[in-house]
Amino acid sequence: EKSVLRGYELGYRNIVALGGNNISERQAALIKSLCVNVVISLDEGIELTHSIEQAKKCKIINPFFSNEVYILDMSELPKKSCIFDLDKKTINKAFEERLIYIGE
């Protein structure tokens, strides 16, 4: 996926690409197995409600461990297909200002 390659070029090393706009159960299980916090950044133009639905699939909830899950609000950003099509300054600013925490 070009977004992973582009992210890597910009110094982001912990990226996965879905190959679409839906996280499969298998993908969610693999992400959860990493026991890490997650940011879901679907392409611009995708409804926030859909992004929230997908992000909830990656939420770990158990008595011993949970993770933080966020979505990146792509609205009002320059019209590009994904966050890594933007320049690094805009990407960093988006990660600082446009993350939405997804609770239980």
Side-chain angles (χ1 to χ4, degrees):
E1 290 282 335
K2 78 169 179 63
S3 56
V4 174
L5 296 173
R6 176 72 177 132
Y8 196 85
E9 285 176 354
L10 294 170
Y12 300 95
R13 303 287 194 260
N14 54 349
I15 304 168
V16 296
L18 302 177
N21 291 316
N22 292 302
I23 298 172
S24 72
E25 293 304 316
R26 179 70 179 138
Q27 288 169 322
L30 289 169
I31 292 168
K32 287 179 180 182
S33 74
L34 298 172
C35 298
V36 296
N37 296 332
V38 178
V39 175
I40 302 295
S41 175
L42 298 180
D43 295 347
E44 66 88 15
I46 302 297
E47 295 289 327
L48 276 179
T49 54
H50 181 73
S51 293
I52 291 167
E53 252 178 52
Q54 299 308 303
K56 285 181 177 179
K57 294 178 183 179
C58 298
K59 185 84 173 141
I60 300 170
I61 303 170
N62 72 46
F64 305 106
F65 183 79
S66 64
N67 64 343
E68 295 178 5
V69 177
Y70 301 85
I71 60 171
L72 184 62
D73 180 3
M74 295 288 289
S75 65
E76 301 177 24
L77 287 174
K79 298 295 180 201
K80 296 284 184 172
S81 61
C82 87
I83 189 66
F84 294 114
D85 289 332
L86 304 171
D87 63 87
K88 185 152 182 155
K89 181 179 176 183
T90 304
I91 294 167
N92 288 340
K93 187 174 180 181
F95 281 127
E96 290 173 10
E97 299 175 359
R98 305 188 65 80
L99 289 182
I100 300 170
Y101 176 74
I102 305 302
E104 300 171 31

